[in-house]
Amino acid sequence: MAEITLVEAVRAALAHALEEDPAVVILGEDVGTDGGVFRATEGLWQRFGSARVRDTPLSEAAIAGVAVGLAAQGFRPVAEIQFQGFIHPALDQLANHAARLRNRTRGRLGCPMVLRAPFGAGVHAPEHHSESIEAIFAHIPGLKLVIPSSPARAYGLLLAAIRDPDPVVFFEPTRIYRAGREEVALDGASLPLGRAFTLRAGGDLTLVSWGAAVREALAAAEALSGEGIEVEVIDLATLRPWDAEAVLGSVRRTGRCVILHEAPRTGGFGAEVAARIAEEALDSLLAPIRRVTAPDIVPPLLRLEHLYLPQVDDVIAAAREVMQWR
Amino acid sequence: MAEITLVEAVRAALAHALEEDPAVVILGEDVGTDGGVFRATEGLWQRFGSARVRDTPLSEAAIAGVAVGLAAQGFRPVAEIQFQGFIHPALDQLANHAARLRNRTRGRLGCPMVLRAPFGAGVHAPEHHSESIEAIFAHIPGLKLVIPSSPARAYGLLLAAIRDPDPVVFFEPTRIYRAGREEVALDGASLPLGRAFTLRAGGDLTLVSWGAAVREALAAAEALSGEGIEVEVIDLATLRPWDAEAVLGSVRRTGRCVILHEAPRTGGFGAEVAARIAEEALDSLLAPIRRVTAPDIVPPLLRLEHLYLPQVDDVIAAAREVMQWR
Amino acid sequence: MQDRPAAEEIVARFEIARTAFLDPDGTPRAPLPDFARDRGSLVAMYRAMLLARAFDARAVALQRTGRLGTYPSALGQEAVAVGTAAAMAPGDLLVPSFREHGAQIMRGVRMEELFLYWGGDERGSDFRDQREDFPVCVPVGTQYPHAAGVALAFQLRGEDRVAVAVGGDGSTSRGDFAEALNIAGVWKLPAVFVVANNGWAISVPREAQSAAQTLAQKAVAAGIPEQQCDGNDVIAVRATVAAALARARAGQGPSLIECLTYRLADHTTADDASRYRDDAAVSARWAEEPVRRLRAHLARAHGWSAAEEEALHAGIAAEVDAATEAYLATPPQPATAIVDYLYAALPPDLARLRARLEGQDG
Amino acid sequence: MQDRPAAEEIVARFEIARTAFLDPDGTPRAPLPDFARDRGSLVAMYRAMLLARAFDARAVALQRTGRLGTYPSALGQEAVAVGTAAAMAPGDLLVPSFREHGAQIMRGVRMEELFLYWGGDERGSDFRDQREDFPVCVPVGTQYPHAAGVALAFQLRGEDRVAVAVGGDGSTSRGDFAEALNIAGVWKLPAVFVVANNGWAISVPREAQSAAQTLAQKAVAAGIPEQQCDGNDVIAVRATVAAALARARAGQGPSLIECLTYRLADHTTADDASRYRDDAAVSARWAEEPVRRLRAHLARAHGWSAAEEEALHAGIAAEVDAATEAYLATPPQPATAIVDYLYAALPPDLARLRARLEGQDG
Ligand SMILES: Cc1ncc(C[n+]2csc(CCOP(=O)(O)OP(=O)(O)O)c2C)c(N)n1
Ligand SMILES: Cc1ncc(C[n+]2csc(CCOP(=O)(O)OP(=O)(O)O)c2C)c(N)n1
Ligand SMILES: [Mg+2]
Ligand SMILES: [Mg+2]
């Protein structure tokens, strides 16, 4: 057991994976001597050598494409894109190859790769360092998409992602890289992909979230509890394939749902969650669904960043509104 | 007036735009001598010359990036990506630059470009020629996204897209490029972006769709009318910014909604439509929302393509189910 | 100021060389490499080119009669595919584009598999005998980084294997091409990048694709060796690829090879090249095509006889017929195939879809 | 076989040249170009370099005291920015990366605007006086295609203008770089691509970025002219860029210029370079830095005096102070700014958001 931050948990999972499986190879910009711009790979190059912890040229398309080639050969590449805002050139390889290789060859070639990228706003970073575009990846059949919201989940889910036989995109919220510590058993145990985590039980309202926003979800739930509103907080954790049953089951009990995410609203993954509820649990709904999200704008530079990020108060307001329905 | 197909309407709109505005420049692979692999630009090179109708090297990132540069200089580039399946390398330029240039410079530089791409399944094409990934683009603030479903709408909307001061992605459904003819007044009149088209009025059920699937929507509505179910068919036409009012207004009247799209379900734009209804018209709903879509799979090669495309019967079944609710 | 150095000094020099052995009429223009003095090996390549051409003709015929999807003929480019595959060891790995049927067949991909693939059936990429080569790659240029990744796998495992990627002239304009060559160069990966410059990328002629005088010189950007060769001379292709493979095996890293050939056919069966290129220009190129060229050499230097030629054709025809029959007799896939290979284990949502498809034919 | 041509013939040759005028100690190593014989023009460049350095120091200081966001210092690279901008005509257009503050300032971007931008305020890219230059570009390499597009606009309008893109050594590994050079080459666009090779891409040293002996030779892939120059010699940079601009204006198309310089600072204020590079190696590079070099030449050849130096510094300090004050005094944006510039006309959904923000400060 160790009291660690989320980025330390990522590092510990990477170290464990490198240790346990010689097929694991880390590649990306500045992952070597520098240990990653967020220090996620700190010390790994020194410990495992430059063959297995590889600095790449500044070539996002090649990083993803090389990972596909490695994975087809049975390696388990863990590729890093330095920030999610720079992932677009890798998307071609992800969507057109990684996600399809197994299906295309009817199982002859697999693609057990992981693509990691830090993401999200709230750290006062330059332009293109604050996006939350997970919805794009959640729409790609053949991929898996995981977003941890705590050190323990980062550790267990990243290990699961690396051990998974299929391509997994793993987005790490920079805002909570160091925002808190948690006791994590560094025993190599993975957590299941595709399973949501109910972080707080409550009978009045289901609050669905993922990533850094889970902090605001929990804070809002705590505050609302003081008003007598008991909120069930669900961290989706895996967005593809996502655990609709967990959400539907909860909503069937609570009759109310608020969805919180940091990405802009329109076309965000919250829409999918809402749609499934409207399809499969409509009868249980006692109030309209509410999405609390960033507005449909480009993430502002740091001066106006606070106007972009959904706040605890926004969640509380949405919850109150939903509770007062009818 | 002329009786023309959708691809002819595209060509007519391009010709009109080239004629009316010297700032319009067409660029893309094989758009010149060949007239485009679907003949969308046929004859334009001959008529307007190679300066304004330009074959590019095989470089999707550069096609988009050059269009950004041209547009910042006041040109109105209409760039073609040969198939939507090859658009990913252009996405970086679209999402990180085209969509942001105006906001980034507080209006100093604009980006009045159009990016056209044929898309969709059903024409028995090779791999990567059948995708429907419009949801990705619908999630990008700063972009507009238009998908025509008939020759007249293709003509009017493409002209509007070209005349629009902001970047517009324009996806053309190959399945209906030549699937029917329509009288179109080739008078240079544009149709409004951001406005849905109600193609058929009906009080029992709202059927929302776009692109090629509108054909199936209309066919299903016709068949259902025979059963006494009157379906209101709405063609969204613009997915960003989309006409939520039109859909909400209709659903408030009918109390029932089926959404039909060709893209895989999870994270498709149908989720956004359903989510908005669940947020803003829940009280009106007499039955759960239904999405009729492709399954969450990679588009199969042509032998199994029919298992991928949503069929008229699927729409009818969903409509019947929704009508029988309670 | 005379004794001062000038403002300019030359800091690097490059020469791009072209290799050719057989003239268009089949006459050797230079001493042939060892493998090309061996009648058996020449005949094997000749047969492979004829087979590729016969496969191609059959594929086009199947498409014209509605039994195949859109198909890209490799007519006239057989020497690139065959020369490349002939140079490769079985343990090497081919990362093809979409016009290397001849190389795929030589590497153990069955013709009925290729028919299946181009007929729109994914099982065609589940090669029965060739388990490691990559399947056809449709998005132009995206295969090059795969080859770099495969080569890195070989390097990491210390295997004596080389990854060989093939693409067209158009593919060299894609960023992926440049990124892959660059990363392979800096990591000295055992990879060979072969460009089949057939003069056209659909309707875009080579000279509208790049101002580079040769495509071979694109290697200079990555600091790796390059070579141009006569891509209609199977001996030149094989010798050039073999030299690059040897460099890769010796730990000297990747190479780029440009093979100068010509696309005698339409881009695909969905294309009509007469819209954008002169038929007369194409006719002139028939004089350079690789099959006739090698036959002339075989006849002159190795007494290749009409009877041998006839026997070869007969054998090939029978092979292609058998493959066609096997293709046409392939039972349909079950409908469940559309979900069964998406993930190693079926996620719950897809399990529901699968249950619905169960028992249906595809 | 002796009278037969050999199997190999050379089909293309390339030489990469490097230009340098001032040795690190400021001694001319070759006759200087005309502009560099003019004291006034040398002093102007010297001042621009000093100003860039002072701006840089102030920006770092503002960041360290919480009044600026992450900032990339250009310490040691001033000659690249200044030499490039000095060679450009006002009507040319700069498409910068993110480390060309010195060039931006010379082209009329106000220092307070740059402070605003790096302070996290989009208004900093709404240049008051410089209306056409592109703003800072953060995604590495994506600016090159923009320059090609701008150059195409100039070409289409028949204007005597050139687009100049600048990027780093790391940016040359991106596909966009290769695609942009290639398309500019084939269309003979009036563009100049300048690579500020400062030896590092964050922690990745130049030699781990590419096996290419020079980055200038990346031009060979696009078939366009290239030149390497001493990027710490502002005379060499300006002369080299000027020659490329002249080619572009003469309709001879684009060029690639590699400027050899060195990043004396951390990558950005968020970086700690001591983690991955040797301080001693950095110290050695101080002997080559561009400001001292030009000062030495000015003193030796043009009698540059301590008094002049002092006056220059004082003037610059005042300018930077004034810009700092203007920056710090800038009133906040209204909250509505986050929606007002997204589209030319506000879509209905955003109008609702805007109404909510109305009246709020940002
Ligand atoms: C990324 C991408 N863009 C466009 C296409 C459509 N397309 C298929 S083949 C082709 C031309 C390819 O030219 P080349 O690389 O020379 O290969 P060839 O067809 O001549 O063998 C194009 C544009 C594609 N398949 N992939
Ligand atoms: C596409 C992209 N990938 C990664 C980054 C993160 N990043 C910012 S600067 C940089 C290194 C750039 O190196 P170089 O091009 O040499 O420019 P320099 O910083 O040395 O001026 C990296 C990796 C980015 N901004 N854009
Ligand atoms: Mg070609
Ligand atoms: Mg650098």
Side-chain angles (χ1 to χ4, degrees):
Chain A
M1 291 292 257
E3 260 231 329
I4 55 175
T5 61
L6 199 155
V7 71
E8 286 164 355
V10 166
R11 192 188 308 143
L14 291 173
H16 189 98
L18 283 162
E19 189 84 58
E20 84 178 0
D21 185 351
V24 173
V25 172
I26 290 177
L27 67 160
E29 295 157 13
D30 306 291
V31 299
T33 36
D34 191 38
V37 293
F38 285 105
R39 309 285 169 254
T41 55
E42 184 160 36
L44 301 180
W45 177 82
Q46 289 78 358
R47 185 159 154 217
F48 297 96
S50 59
R52 296 187 64 203
V53 183
R54 310 180 72 90
D55 277 331
T56 64
L58 214 163
S59 309
E60 282 78 7
I63 289 171
V66 163
V68 170
L70 274 172
Q73 273 290 308
F75 277 87
R76 292 186 174 263
V78 184
E80 177 180 308
I81 299 294
Q82 203 161 74
F83 289 90
Q84 195 196 51
F86 310 128
I87 206 170
H88 292 96
L91 193 55
D92 195 17
Q93 288 290 343
L94 274 177
N96 279 341
H97 291 301
R100 298 179 180 213
L101 202 51
R102 179 184 298 282
N103 182 68
R104 178 184 293 150
T105 62
R106 288 297 185 244
R108 182 170 64 86
L109 299 176
C111 195
M113 66 180 272
V114 174
L115 196 81
R116 296 176 44 244
F119 84 117
V123 296
H124 276 196
E127 201 187 346
H128 303 285
H129 292 65
S130 306
E131 358 295 302
S132 295
I133 54 169
E134 66 271 17
I136 291 179
F137 302 83
H139 186 46
I140 301 176
L143 288 188
K144 296 184 178 178
L145 170 59
V146 178
I147 300 177
S149 68
S150 81
R153 285 188 291 283
Y155 182 78
L157 291 170
L158 182 51
L159 279 171
I162 296 172
R163 292 168 186 157
D164 195 271
D166 291 306
V168 181
V169 173
F170 195 88
F171 289 141
E172 301 161 10
T174 51
R175 185 153 63 86
I176 57 169
Y177 255 160
R178 299 184 171 80
R181 295 181 171 273
E182 188 179 19
E183 285 285 340
V184 182
L186 300 179
D187 55 0
S190 57
L191 286 167
L193 304 185
R195 205 79 73 68
F197 297 86
T198 301
L199 301 182
R200 180 183 179 115
D204 296 326
L205 172 84
T206 303
L207 178 52
V208 180
S209 194
W210 55 87
V214 166
R215 274 171 78 86
E216 283 76 50
L218 289 169
E222 186 64 30
L224 288 161
S225 179
E227 305 177 12
I229 302 175
E230 293 308 330
V231 176
E232 184 141 301
V233 178
I234 297 181
D235 171 13
L236 282 189
T238 303
L239 265 61
R240 183 174 201 98
W242 71 288
D243 192 349
E245 289 318 317
V247 172
L248 293 169
S250 175
V251 172
R252 286 193 187 104
R253 277 184 286 103
T254 63
R256 293 178 167 88
C257 185
V258 172
I259 302 158
L260 166 67
H261 63 66
E262 199 183 298
R265 167 166 325 202
T266 300
F269 195 72
E272 180 62 33
V273 177
R276 279 294 283 276
I277 296 170
E279 290 175 317
E280 300 184 33
L282 190 85
D283 276 353
S284 313
L285 280 184
L286 304 171
I289 298 169
R290 281 284 167 268
R291 286 180 287 171
V292 178
T293 71
D296 283 318
I297 61 171
V298 171
L301 295 184
L302 66 89
R303 294 291 179 95
L304 300 182
E305 198 177 12
H306 59 284
L307 297 171
Y308 175 78
L309 277 176
Q311 307 292 325
V312 175
D313 281 350
D314 301 330
V315 184
I316 293 174
R320 285 192 191 133
E321 190 206 336
V322 163
M323 289 309 297
Q324 279 152 23
W325 200 256
R326 256 167 266 202
Chain B
M1 292 291 259
E3 260 232 329
I4 56 175
T5 61
L6 199 155
V7 70
E8 286 164 353
V10 167
R11 192 188 309 145
L14 293 172
H16 189 96
L18 284 161
E19 189 84 58
E20 82 178 1
D21 186 350
V24 173
V25 171
I26 291 176
L27 67 161
E29 295 157 13
D30 306 292
V31 299
T33 38
D34 192 37
V37 294
F38 285 107
R39 309 287 171 255
T41 55
E42 184 162 34
L44 301 180
W45 177 82
Q46 289 78 359
R47 187 161 152 213
F48 296 97
S50 59
R52 298 187 62 202
V53 182
R54 311 180 71 89
D55 278 331
T56 64
L58 215 162
S59 309
E60 281 80 6
I63 290 172
V66 163
V68 170
L70 274 173
Q73 273 289 308
F75 276 87
R76 294 189 172 259
V78 183
E80 177 180 308
I81 299 294
Q82 202 160 77
F83 289 91
Q84 194 194 53
F86 309 128
I87 207 169
H88 292 95
L91 193 55
D92 196 17
Q93 289 289 343
L94 274 178
N96 279 342
H97 292 299
R100 297 177 180 215
L101 202 51
R102 179 183 297 283
N103 183 67
R104 178 183 293 149
T105 62
R106 288 298 186 243
R108 181 171 63 86
L109 299 177
C111 197
M113 66 180 272
V114 173
L115 196 81
R116 296 175 44 242
F119 84 117
V123 295
H124 277 196
E127 201 186 346
H128 302 287
H129 291 66
S130 306
E131 358 295 302
S132 293
I133 54 169
E134 66 272 16
I136 291 179
F137 301 83
H139 187 45
I140 301 175
L143 286 188
K144 297 185 177 177
L145 170 59
V146 178
I147 299 178
S149 69
S150 80
R153 285 187 290 283
Y155 182 78
L157 292 170
L158 182 50
L159 279 172
I162 296 171
R163 293 169 187 157
D164 197 89
D166 291 307
V168 181
V169 173
F170 195 87
F171 288 142
E172 301 161 9
T174 51
R175 187 153 61 86
I176 56 169
Y177 254 161
R178 298 183 171 81
R181 294 179 172 274
E182 188 178 19
E183 285 285 339
V184 182
L186 301 178
D187 56 0
S190 57
L191 286 167
L193 302 186
R195 205 80 73 65
F197 296 86
T198 301
L199 302 182
R200 182 183 178 117
D204 297 326
L205 172 83
T206 303
L207 177 53
V208 180
S209 192
W210 54 87
V214 168
R215 274 171 77 88
E216 282 77 51
L218 289 170
E222 187 63 30
L224 289 160
S225 179
E227 304 178 12
I229 303 174
E230 292 309 328
V231 177
E232 185 142 301
V233 178
I234 297 180
D235 171 13
L236 282 189
T238 303
L239 266 61
R240 185 175 199 98
W242 71 287
D243 193 350
E245 290 317 316
V247 172
L248 294 168
S250 175
V251 172
R252 287 193 188 106
R253 278 184 284 104
T254 63
R256 293 177 167 88
C257 185
V258 172
I259 302 157
L260 165 66
H261 64 64
E262 199 182 299
R265 166 166 328 202
T266 300
F269 194 72
E272 178 62 34
V273 177
R276 279 295 283 277
I277 296 170
E279 289 176 317
E280 301 185 32
L282 190 85
D283 277 353
S284 313
L285 280 183
L286 304 171
I289 297 169
R290 281 285 167 266
R291 284 181 290 170
V292 179
T293 71
D296 283 319
I297 61 171
V298 170
L301 296 184
L302 66 90
R303 292 292 178 95
L304 299 183
E305 198 178 11
H306 59 284
L307 296 171
Y308 175 76
L309 276 176
Q311 307 290 326
V312 175
D313 282 350
D314 301 329
V315 184
I316 293 173
R320 285 191 191 132
E321 190 206 337
V322 163
M323 288 310 297
Q324 278 150 24
W325 200 257
R326 259 168 262 199
Chain C
M1 288 245 199
Q2 268 127 295
D3 51 349
R4 292 239 180 92
E8 273 199 20
E9 93 193 84
I10 302 302
V11 292
R13 283 200 171 78
F14 304 94
E15 288 183 344
I16 314 300
R18 178 187 302 159
T19 303
F21 288 102
L22 294 184
D23 280 336
D25 69 356
T27 318
R29 49 188 283 135
L32 297 183
D34 281 351
F35 73 80
R37 300 204 186 125
D38 175 47
R39 188 184 203 261
S41 95
L42 287 182
V43 171
M45 291 196 293
Y46 182 60
R47 185 182 201 283
M49 289 202 290
L50 276 181
L51 182 63
R53 192 165 285 189
F55 168 82
D56 224 68
R58 179 62 50 86
V60 172
L62 287 168
Q63 192 281 333
R64 298 287 184 226
T65 52
R67 291 174 294 173
L68 212 71
T70 302
Y71 175 78
S73 165
L75 186 67
Q77 302 179 213
E78 295 86 355
V80 177
V82 166
T84 298
M88 290 171 69
D92 295 335
L93 195 149
L94 181 69
V95 184
S97 161
F98 46 79
R99 214 184 283 281
E100 291 79 43
H101 329 293
Q104 293 185 292
I105 295 167
M106 279 185 86
R107 295 205 32 91
V109 178
R110 305 162 72 88
M111 283 186 281
E112 53 266 41
E113 290 169 344
L114 292 178
F115 284 141
L116 265 179
Y117 174 76
W118 292 108
D121 186 325
E122 287 82 355
R123 289 175 298 178
S125 296
D126 183 14
F127 309 146
R128 200 185 72 176
D129 306 322
Q130 172 48 264
R131 301 301 293 168
E132 288 193 80
D133 279 6
F134 265 54
V136 157
C137 177
V138 171
V140 168
T142 56
Q143 74 276 25
Y144 296 111
H146 302 163
V150 168
L152 176 57
F154 294 162
Q155 186 187 66
L156 283 168
R157 286 195 298 247
E159 292 176 347
D160 183 26
R161 303 170 70 185
V162 183
V164 179
V166 187
D169 43 314
S171 77
T172 64
S173 297
R174 287 261 310 183
D176 311 54
F177 173 80
E179 291 196 8
L181 263 65
N182 188 66
I183 206 168
V186 80
W187 290 350
K188 277 204 178 305
L189 298 179
V192 177
F193 301 98
V194 177
V195 170
N197 174 0
N198 65 5
W200 296 89
I202 307 188
S203 73
V204 178
R206 158 66 183 84
E207 60 277 13
Q209 198 63 241
S210 177
Q213 302 90 320
T214 67
L215 297 178
Q217 76 199 50
K218 299 220 168 217
V220 172
I224 67 174
E226 77 295 301
Q227 185 91 351
Q228 204 183 51
C229 72
D230 185 336
N232 289 335
D233 171 0
V234 72
I235 297 173
V237 173
R238 176 163 165 180
T240 310
V241 174
L245 288 166
R247 276 196 299 274
R249 287 190 218 291
Q252 291 164 23
S255 310
L256 172 65
I257 293 167
E258 177 188 8
C259 305
L260 292 166
T261 179
Y262 195 81
R263 198 193 80 205
L264 292 171
D266 290 338
H267 170 68
T268 65
T269 51
D271 177 51
D272 171 10
S274 72
R275 294 172 56 85
Y276 53 78
R277 76 175 179 183
D278 212 4
D279 281 348
V282 180
S283 307
R285 294 307 198 108
W286 271 97
E288 296 167 13
E289 67 91 4
V291 171
R292 213 191 53 151
R293 185 186 304 210
L294 185 56
R295 181 166 52 232
H297 173 65
L298 271 175
R300 208 152 23 210
H302 296 282
W304 181 251
S305 70
E308 283 177 299
E309 177 81 15
E310 205 172 306
L312 203 57
H313 278 275
I316 282 169
E319 230 182 282
V320 174
D321 284 345
T324 309
E325 265 169 54
Y327 164 57
L328 295 174
T330 310
Q333 304 173 77
T336 47
I338 65 171
V339 294
D340 277 347
Y341 302 93
L342 214 55
Y343 297 96
L346 215 59
D349 274 25
L350 289 174
R352 230 172 305 156
L353 168 65
R354 189 181 195 288
R356 233 185 302 134
L357 296 167
E358 191 87 64
Q360 284 185 49
D361 260 8
Chain D
M1 289 243 197
Q2 270 127 291
D3 51 350
R4 290 237 180 93
E8 273 199 19
E9 92 193 84
I10 303 302
V11 292
R13 284 198 170 80
F14 305 94
E15 287 184 345
I16 315 298
R18 178 187 301 159
T19 303
F21 288 102
L22 295 186
D23 281 336
D25 68 357
T27 318
R29 49 188 283 134
L32 299 182
D34 281 350
F35 73 81
R37 301 206 185 123
D38 175 48
R39 189 184 202 261
S41 94
L42 287 181
V43 171
M45 292 196 293
Y46 181 60
R47 185 183 201 283
M49 289 200 293
L50 276 182
L51 182 62
R53 192 166 285 189
F55 168 82
D56 223 66
R58 179 62 50 87
V60 172
L62 287 168
Q63 193 281 333
R64 297 288 182 227
T65 51
R67 292 174 294 174
L68 211 71
T70 303
Y71 175 78
S73 165
L75 185 68
Q77 302 180 211
E78 295 86 355
V80 178
V82 167
T84 298
M88 290 171 70
D92 295 336
L93 196 148
L94 181 69
V95 184
S97 162
F98 45 80
R99 215 184 284 280
E100 291 79 42
H101 329 293
Q104 293 184 292
I105 295 168
M106 279 186 85
R107 298 211 22 96
V109 178
R110 304 162 74 88
M111 284 186 281
E112 54 266 42
E113 290 169 345
L114 292 178
F115 285 142
L116 265 179
Y117 174 76
W118 291 108
D121 187 325
E122 287 82 354
R123 288 175 300 179
S125 297
D126 183 16
F127 310 146
R128 199 185 72 175
D129 306 321
Q130 173 46 266
R131 301 302 292 168
E132 288 192 80
D133 278 6
F134 265 53
V136 157
C137 178
V138 171
V140 169
T142 56
Q143 73 275 27
Y144 297 112
H146 302 163
V150 168
L152 177 56
F154 295 162
Q155 186 186 67
L156 284 168
R157 286 195 297 248
E159 292 176 346
D160 183 25
R161 304 171 69 187
V162 182
V164 179
V166 186
D169 43 314
S171 77
T172 65
S173 296
R174 288 260 310 183
D176 312 54
F177 173 80
E179 291 196 7
L181 263 65
N182 189 66
I183 206 167
V186 80
W187 291 349
K188 279 201 176 307
L189 298 179
V192 176
F193 302 98
V194 176
V195 170
N197 175 358
N198 65 4
W200 296 90
I202 307 187
S203 73
V204 178
R206 159 64 184 84
E207 60 277 13
Q209 197 62 242
S210 178
Q213 301 92 319
T214 68
L215 297 178
Q217 75 200 52
K218 300 221 168 216
V220 171
I224 68 175
E226 78 292 302
Q227 185 92 351
Q228 205 183 48
C229 70
D230 184 336
N232 290 336
D233 171 0
V234 72
I235 297 172
V237 173
R238 175 163 166 180
T240 310
V241 174
L245 288 165
R247 275 196 300 275
R249 288 190 216 290
Q252 289 164 25
S255 309
L256 173 65
I257 293 167
E258 177 188 9
C259 305
L260 293 166
T261 181
Y262 194 81
R263 198 192 80 205
L264 291 171
D266 291 339
H267 170 68
T268 65
T269 50
D271 177 51
D272 171 11
S274 72
R275 294 174 55 85
Y276 53 79
R277 74 175 181 184
D278 213 3
D279 281 348
V282 180
S283 308
R285 293 308 197 108
W286 271 97
E288 296 168 12
E289 67 92 4
V291 170
R292 213 191 52 151
R293 184 185 302 210
L294 184 57
R295 180 165 52 232
H297 173 64
L298 272 174
R300 208 153 23 213
H302 296 281
W304 181 250
S305 70
E308 284 176 300
E309 178 81 13
E310 207 172 303
L312 203 56
H313 279 275
I316 282 168
E319 230 183 284
V320 173
D321 284 345
T324 308
E325 265 170 55
Y327 163 58
L328 294 174
T330 309
Q333 305 171 77
T336 46
I338 66 171
V339 293
D340 277 347
Y341 303 93
L342 214 55
Y343 298 96
L346 214 60
D349 275 24
L350 289 174
R352 229 172 306 159
L353 168 65
R354 189 181 196 289
R356 233 186 303 135
L357 296 167
E358 191 87 62
Q360 282 184 51
D361 261 7

